[in-house]
Amino acid sequence: MSKIKFILIFASVLLFACQSKESNSVEKLTTIKELHAKIATAKAGDEIVLANGVWKDVEIVFKANGTKENPIVLRAETPGKVFIEGISNLKIGGNHLVVKDLHFRNGYTPTDVVILFKTDDDTPANHSKVTNCVIEEFTQLDRDATDHWVEFWGQHNELSHCYIAGKSNFGPTVRVQLKGNQHINNHHQIINNHFGPRPRKGGPHGETLQIGDSGTSMTPSYTNISNNYFERCNGEVEIISSKSNFNIFKNNVFFESEGSLVLRHGNYATIEGNVFIGNDNSEFIGGIRVVNTGHWIMNNYFYKLKGSEFRAPLAVMNGIPKSPLNRYNQVTDVVVAYNSFVECPTPWFFSVGSNVDKSAVLPKSEIRSARPIRTVFANNLIYNNQTATNPILNYDKVDGILFEKNITNNENKSEVKPKGLTTVDFSVNKLSDNLFVPTKNNTEVYNGFDFENINTDLFGESRAKNNAVGAITIPVKENMVLVNESNYGTDWFNPKKEKREPKTFTIHPKDLKSTIASAENGDIIVLESGEYTLDTTIDIDKKITITSADEHKKVLLNFTANNTAFLMKPKGDLRLQNISVKGNKTQNAFATLDKNMSKAYNLFLNNVEISNFKTALSVSKGSFADTISVKNTSVKNLENGFLLNQEIDAKGDYNAEFVFIENSNFDEVKGTVLDYFRGGYDESTIGGNLIFKNNTITHSGKESADKILIKNQGIVQAEISENTFINNPVKLIAILWGEKGQKPENNKIKNSGEFKIVQNLKQKLMY
Amino acid sequence: MSKIKFILIFASVLLFACQSKESNSVEKLTTIKELHAKIATAKAGDEIVLANGVWKDVEIVFKANGTKENPIVLRAETPGKVFIEGISNLKIGGNHLVVKDLHFRNGYTPTDVVILFKTDDDTPANHSKVTNCVIEEFTQLDRDATDHWVEFWGQHNELSHCYIAGKSNFGPTVRVQLKGNQHINNHHQIINNHFGPRPRKGGPHGETLQIGDSGTSMTPSYTNISNNYFERCNGEVEIISSKSNFNIFKNNVFFESEGSLVLRHGNYATIEGNVFIGNDNSEFIGGIRVVNTGHWIMNNYFYKLKGSEFRAPLAVMNGIPKSPLNRYNQVTDVVVAYNSFVECPTPWFFSVGSNVDKSAVLPKSEIRSARPIRTVFANNLIYNNQTATNPILNYDKVDGILFEKNITNNENKSEVKPKGLTTVDFSVNKLSDNLFVPTKNNTEVYNGFDFENINTDLFGESRAKNNAVGAITIPVKENMVLVNESNYGTDWFNPKKEKREPKTFTIHPKDLKSTIASAENGDIIVLESGEYTLDTTIDIDKKITITSADEHKKVLLNFTANNTAFLMKPKGDLRLQNISVKGNKTQNAFATLDKNMSKAYNLFLNNVEISNFKTALSVSKGSFADTISVKNTSVKNLENGFLLNQEIDAKGDYNAEFVFIENSNFDEVKGTVLDYFRGGYDESTIGGNLIFKNNTITHSGKESADKILIKNQGIVQAEISENTFINNPVKLIAILWGEKGQKPENNKIKNSGEFKIVQNLKQKLMY
């Protein structure tokens, strides 16, 4: 029996016991009016019970005062059977309050917070907690609408054993506020939570957790973030943004999360015993990024992290001399000791963010030229099974780091070869998933100032007798694992969706709309061969594959309505294969909702023909595609091709994360073949990826306003290679961004303008 | 018997006892070699005794390790009988060390510190102290040479019961260093010291105490500055510059010190129970200036403070939005509670430093537009015997301050009239010098967040029963005083110089030089009447008055040597009355040493005639006159008049603090009548004072390079009034600084150019 199943059964038994008790003694409330009436008279020790069912459009204000011994508890009748839905939220104010067992879903908050630890500015919560709750995709309709799902105020509050996932709009999922003396020295506990997937946002402000902000970065916070599981938290480059002092990050697991634990502002953080797990394929999964002063980073375990620069396993940044409050202070007085880096080919990056060469396009107050100083790297272990001879990458001199007693099992051929990083021939044993430890202790360690306080290892074993380099000393207790799922989240909610076999419907195309409406996520629709006219728009709000019954012959769909052929809605995921779509020149082939694109969509075209439309793809501001993939496709007779260019505020947002256009033909596209835009000087995001490869473009661009065929302004990764451009009356094929390594490769060009490379892009400052 | 005398006698008795013991048991060292040999073998509990006498040109390195129970002590054989002189200093490194009873004088350090709490970078002192010592005028020869007299490194060190006075060069007297984890959380104790007069420096970097710097302003320091006496610490606008976090300033007395306790960088300072005493005449004596976040200012007593802006009794500054690290952060989350302001007509200044109107001459990163926010003023008491109806002066909106339960005995006619500042009719009793308390408790108080921690008053009396507005609750214990001198400084050194009656010498002028050489400070030299030729330079290195025997007739001194007539040396203070000095056109009438003007000088001319010199006064870079006073004097046939213009580095320094030129005549001064210069954008100093009044200037300026008669660039206070300018062929009489309120008043001008007013002076940024 799996552990999870066991827990579920065990929980059910417990629930049954509770229910029996409740039905006798505790009043179950069924309306918000009853609830508020009950709260108004609640006394220390009271239980306030929400009856099972859906509570829709409720704004719960839980203002009361319990005592340490007798808190006031607001809870679900049955854990997981009370759903807060619609336009709803919860405010908690007072002392010694507990909220538990609620499930927020199918809605969003009417204010800017879902669960707020204050009822008004004069009434923060103190010594109160939210525990064993779920917040699931309780996201704003508009990506640009800002909110937080949990916002801490007051002191000594707790968020524990919750499952929180699926925020796709602007704003950190959890935010600790420090504005005002009532809220500092807060000692909040954010513990044992499961932060489930947060999708890529396609712009900044997609942190999972932010503690303070630059304006309160001088405050003592003492927030404790321990024993949490961050699973694929991909919102932006910062999974956690620590922006206050004395925060503690201990024993958390960061699993395949595209970002880093970032010490963005504030000082003296403790990062101890955390586990960072990447994978072989991603360069977006980071580890820890260090800014500011006095942090202690120890006993952490980094595994299979392949990221670089901001997303390096360990990135130590350059600061701005005398930095403005909201930019980058110099790194000073940081200690990095007793960490293990396993299968991280280049674990240490120094002077990340150095941009002295960009002084032509950036003001002096943005130039990160202050190297890290008074910083100690000691007793760290680097292991790579394959040859990996560049443990250090540096963007500036490395003259402020003291290296002592670090070891690697590979030769160090980096530019920087400190004496304190030596090559030692050692091997490792695999003890459990992703957990590799040396076969013997490397006992020669450095004892720096205050190192005697590092007296245990990653697993809490004393270092007194068996001290050794790296996060883990041996022997390791039996059955140790890096990720113990039972530590995280609620005792009643299983975030793992059951796998479902997709169904296949073979239909006449006239039934396409209705079939999709009734199909389930992942289903496949096979269209009978032929040519058909559809005087409608096909809505896509789930994963749907549409293909032709005859794999050798495309189905031709003639769209005659004025509206778009396919309308992509939130979570729409359309895979079109072997289909030809033809328009009447007035509509778009694919488009998103004009607004409320609350969640990302995907579009995969393979062996498709698109013709006689206004635009191949037209998107709205706020819409976001995770992937647009166009392969083996023919695009012709259009005003424009793919337009992903609506985020014009220059605030770092963009309309798609990955755009692949390969092995395809564009002919007679009058305007721009592709306009893929990201504006604003921002380093928070992956920043867009374009692969435009092996395509043929002919007779296009003649009406392009600025005489450019392919526009990719501000997109960080762009490959334009192996294409053939013939007879396109433009001035430029594309402008590429030299600093990011962009250059045209192996393109054939005839009567089609040229490529231009701009080394340093001038971008609007957002700060 | 006075308390001090009693202490001295008591100390002598103690000394006698100690001496008897010593002579039997403890080796007295007489050379630095012996001393270092002894230190090299010192063990816990050892005493290392310097034999009485002068130790000249010694660099003592006290590196050893005692224990908590048995420190190692380095001390004078007899307190006050061991003099460290010449080019000397002391370094202390190791643990549990004590230095006591030494007297530093007649010299300066060859390094940049006199007493350094580390022997090398790897050996800071910890748990060590310097106590019962004197550092007296141990100042560098050159004002621009930088040093500190006591520099703290390490943790848990102490400076106690010392007398420290007379630093006139660049650099804070005492400096706490925080660069490196070994030096933070230091809990240093700076207690029971007497910081004697620090003269005006005439430029920045004249603090008496600086804790950290902007680069370490994020560090937790926890330095405790308590029970010290700051007497006329006039070095610059900051007596204390707190630049780190969590520092404590408690029960200190600031007596007639021209500056403030300034929370310059760093946050969360505690300023509790301090006494600030000004006087009726000075506008330079300040109180507390607040920048940054989270400070608690309570139970302080402010008396007779008349300063404004930076020197206000309580100045709350505007910050720079997103300030650079070394500039001005916004004030947030500050609590000002239970303070008493007695005879401070305008105690509260808000948005000090607001300079939005200067955006034309300052970069955006210098514009202080961020008003204080989330700040509480509560339970403060304001008392003025005379009508004083402007308790608040504001340079911007006051919208971020919560006023609660403050009282004043005058009507509030300020622009800002918060409800939380009410007029209450109450009177005060005088209990002792400068100590006034209300005749009854004003018991209506506000209880803000964490106010329960303010549980005592200025005198340590519990507030539990008799809580009241203001720093002092009644009843007050009998015989309470604000300044108890026996708390401060050593038990053996009396800084009060005996008063000496000046002697008068009536001499023939040929004996002038030799008489001055043998005269003592303050003596008066009366010259026999007549005309005399002096082929020499008269050196002035003390206070000397020279006058004519015949009060109705000037003595005429004809100077024939090529060198200056009067050479002002450090501490020179020349008062010339009823004397005529005439040159041969090749030399100056008055000049300073070319270098090593280690201390300030003064020049007072009354009823003097100066003619046929190159220059009336010519000074060197680094020289500094506290006062240049020229009254009822005639100046003619000179190339230039008074030149105080050698600080050309634009770093905020200047050559004289006060320049008075009144009721005097200038005729045929070819160049500039006065050039009084301060360069650089700096707010650290008084910034110079010029009164040029009721003078007549004729036929002057014809060879002035820039056609200006009077130059006062950068001088903060300048009054040019009631003068007569006739037939001076210049373009401008003077350029005045509008922002500082400068304007010409009641001058008569004929054929002499005009005044120009520049509102905002463009100055070189120093930061």
Side-chain angles (χ1 to χ4, degrees), chain B residues 630-668:
Chain B
V630 179
K631 295 191 180 173
N632 310 308
T633 286
S634 164
V635 180
K636 61 182 172 186
N637 293 327
L638 266 55
E639 284 182 28
N640 282 293
F642 293 84
L643 300 183
L644 296 151
N645 59 356
Q646 292 303 303
E647 290 294 353
I648 53 174
D649 294 343
K651 291 189 170 174
D653 287 292
Y654 48 102
N655 288 121
E657 195 67 79
F658 295 97
V659 176
F660 305 109
I661 298 178
E662 296 178 76
N663 305 316
S664 296
N665 301 319
F666 290 80
D667 185 52
E668 293 284 355

Side-chain angles (χ1 to χ4, degrees), chain B residues 426-444:
Chain B
F426 67 95
S427 46
V428 296
N429 283 329
K430 180 172 181 177
L431 300 190
S432 58
D433 273 2
N434 306 324
L435 175 58
F436 296 80
V437 300
T439 53
K440 65 182 182 65
N441 281 331
N442 293 278
T443 59
E444 202 181 318

